[in-house]
């Protein structure tokens, strides 16, 4: 069973997300177009005019090399082959290499991408649409990705390695196996999860290889193509844009100007450009590049290059140059025949800062789509909610709002003082008329006394509500415990739970359930009941 809510009704997203999903006119200047089937087809036509056949050949060769020794589905291999054709386009999502996929929304991102590609293939059979997961293997923020949660227990990988996380050696992850065996338990599915972790992380030497294996295992049957962007052949396609950033530093000016326009509309900015938006990869380090007078300096080192030396390095070893958060989207859109990027609210926010930069580089800006968001709950939880006369919509309230609402519902005392306040206003109405007729200077004193007494009644109402909440504490806690189950730490479930917690109860079928129920263009938040799920 599935229930859907407007994003604004959930009270858990930013104003930017609400406005974007509602297709506010305020975004028109920052996007290519809003997501729809028709606009996606138009985007494909535009992309087809600019994407080079030679780039397709490089892309397909790189993917075939990456998948050469991988066990994957024929559907995925067919999708890779289809990228050779001029009528094939991609729909892409990207994410960091979180340990064991990290939070649940990683799964939702990929399912949104799979479903939109399927829907476009059905609607426009004269074209091919391939779902892509872009691995952020060059990211270097290890603390963001080195853990996942299982039933509120944090499973964390500690390592002193540095540099691009995709190159991290996974050998020390063997130390987590005893902990995983304990938390996953002895059930068949628990043992399956341990084996999946072992195969991914202990039979592959780097985090990139492990994540590639894991995502391929989970989604290969649906034809997902995983791309690892840190390849010399792919980076070579991007040399001109990297050279432009080093020498002309256009990104900084374009993004700053567009960011100011977004900020003027009241939206919070996600990223700030640098003068140079590239890192240099060297010996397990990802080093920031700055220009100083007539040379390029690698920050926190003594390494420097003259302009000619650095351009020669770029030409000979493009794989050593790593785009930051500003340039990565441009790199993605340069090497892929992409028409749509699917991401979360934060990602949409920083993509919205980039269109003028894309325009300056003559690369089509993709259509942006907010990924599906989901709350999962069980039939057991639904029964508890029915017994308490609790609606799904109630759970989106803050805990204090929910406690107040529940108190009003079950108390046998009338807490609402609005009738008394209206009666008080009627009494003061006569005083206002009297003051106006006799001494107008007295009107201010009458108004002040009226407000004082209204505030006193409101204060008494709050005290009575607080007293009733204490009296009904056990009943209210039953409701709040359900809310905490589905909104851990007062946040969305998808930002905390890992897929393993759902897998332990449902097995791999939960991915099929999500695929069958999630509609990427619906623009709604989904609540899905799983009959065999314990939350």
């Amino acid at each position: 069973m599935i229930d859907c809510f407007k994003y604004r009704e959930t009270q858990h997203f930013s104003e930017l997300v609400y406005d974007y999903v509602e297709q506010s006119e305020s975004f028109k200047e920052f996007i290519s177009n809003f997501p729809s089937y028709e606009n996606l087809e138009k985007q494909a036509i535009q992309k087809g005019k600019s994407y080079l056949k030679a780039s397709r050949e490089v892309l397909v060769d790189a993917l075939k090399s990456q998948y050469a020794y991988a066990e994957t589905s024929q559907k995925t291999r067919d999708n890779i082959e289809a990228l050779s054709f001029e009528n094939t386009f991609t729909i892409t999502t990207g994410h960091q290499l979180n340990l064991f996929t990290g939070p649940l929304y990683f799964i939702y991102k990929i399912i949104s991408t799979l479903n939109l590609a399927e829907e476009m293939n059905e609607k426009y059979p004269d074209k091919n649409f391939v779902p892509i997961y872009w691995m952020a293997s060059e990211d270097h923020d290890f603390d963001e990705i080195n853990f996942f949660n299982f039933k509120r227990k944090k499973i964390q990988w500690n390592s002193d390695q540095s540099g691009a996380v995709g190159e991290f050696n996974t050998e020390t992850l063997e130390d987590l196996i005893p902990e995983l065996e304990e938390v996953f338990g002895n059930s068949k599915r628990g043992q399956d999860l341990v084996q999946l972790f072992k195969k991914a992380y202990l039979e592959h030497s780097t985090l990139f290889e492990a994540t590639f294996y894991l995502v391929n295992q989970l989604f290969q049957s649906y034809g997902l193509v995983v791309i690892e962007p840190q390849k010399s052949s792919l980076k070579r396609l991007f040399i001109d844009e990297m050279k432009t950033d080093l020498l002309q530093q256009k990104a900084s000016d374009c993004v700053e100007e567009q960011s100011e326009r977004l900020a003027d509309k009241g939206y919070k900015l996600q990223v700030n450009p640098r003068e140079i938006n590239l890192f240099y990869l060297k010996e397990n380090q990802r080093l920031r590049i700055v220009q100083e007078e007539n040379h390029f300096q690698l920050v926190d080192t003594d390494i420097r290059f003259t302009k000619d030396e650095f351009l020669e390095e770029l030409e000979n070893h493009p794989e050593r140059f790593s785009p930051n958060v500003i340039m990565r989207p441009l790199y993605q859109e340069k090497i892929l025949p992409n028409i749509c990027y699917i991401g979360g609210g934060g990602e949409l926010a920083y993509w919205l800062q980039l269109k003028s930069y894309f325009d300056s580089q003559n690369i089509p800006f993709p259509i942006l789509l907010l990924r599906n968001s989901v709350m999962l709950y069980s039939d057991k939880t639904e029964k508890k909610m029915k017994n308490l006369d609790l609606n799904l919509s109630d759970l989106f309230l803050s805990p204090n709002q929910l406690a107040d609402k529940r108190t009003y519902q079950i108390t046998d005392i009338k807490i609402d003082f609005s009738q008394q306040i209206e009666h008080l206003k009627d009494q003061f109405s006569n005083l206002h008329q009297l003051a106006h007729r006799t001494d107008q200077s007295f009107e201010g004193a009458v108004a002040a006394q009226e407000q004082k007494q209204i505030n006193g009644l409101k204060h008494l109402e709050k005290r009575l509500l607080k007293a009733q909440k204490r009296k009904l504490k056990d009943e209210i806690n039953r409701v709040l415990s359900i809310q905490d189950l589905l909104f851990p730490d007062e946040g969305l479930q998808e930002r905390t739970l890992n897929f393993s917690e759902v897998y332990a109860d449902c097995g791999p079928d939960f991915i099929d359930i999500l695929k069958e129920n999630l509609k990427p263009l619906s623009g709604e938040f989904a609540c899905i009941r799983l009959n065999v799920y314990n939350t």
Side-chain angles (χ1 to χ4, degrees), residues 56-78:
R56 286 189 182 277
E57 293 172 356
V58 172
L59 174 64
V60 171
D61 286 346
L63 287 170
K64 285 182 176 179
S65 172
Q66 180 183 310
Y67 274 85
Y69 302 103
E71 292 184 8
T72 195
S73 67
Q74 188 58 47
K75 191 170 183 179
T76 291
R77 296 200 182 278
D78 289 345

Side-chain angles (χ1 to χ4, degrees), residues 469-532:
K469 285 167 73 172
R470 286 197 300 269
K471 181 179 178 181
L472 301 169
K473 180 180 178 181
D474 291 343
E475 180 73 14
I476 292 169
N477 283 343
R478 290 174 65 194
V479 170
L480 293 178
S481 67
I482 293 176
Q483 184 185 52
D484 182 61
L485 190 68
L486 301 178
F487 291 82
D489 299 322
E490 300 183 29
L492 290 175
Q493 176 195 74
E494 63 184 30
R495 297 174 184 169
T496 301
L497 268 64
N498 178 259
F499 87 95
S500 58
E501 191 165 332
V502 188
Y503 188 103
D505 290 330
C506 304
D509 290 346
F510 89 96
I511 293 180
D512 288 330
I513 294 170
L514 292 171
K515 272 200 87 281
E516 289 169 8
N517 286 282
L518 297 184
K519 308 299 179 187
L521 293 178
S522 69
E524 293 183 313
F525 184 97
C527 298
I528 300 177
R529 186 192 71 197
L530 301 175
N531 292 337
V532 291

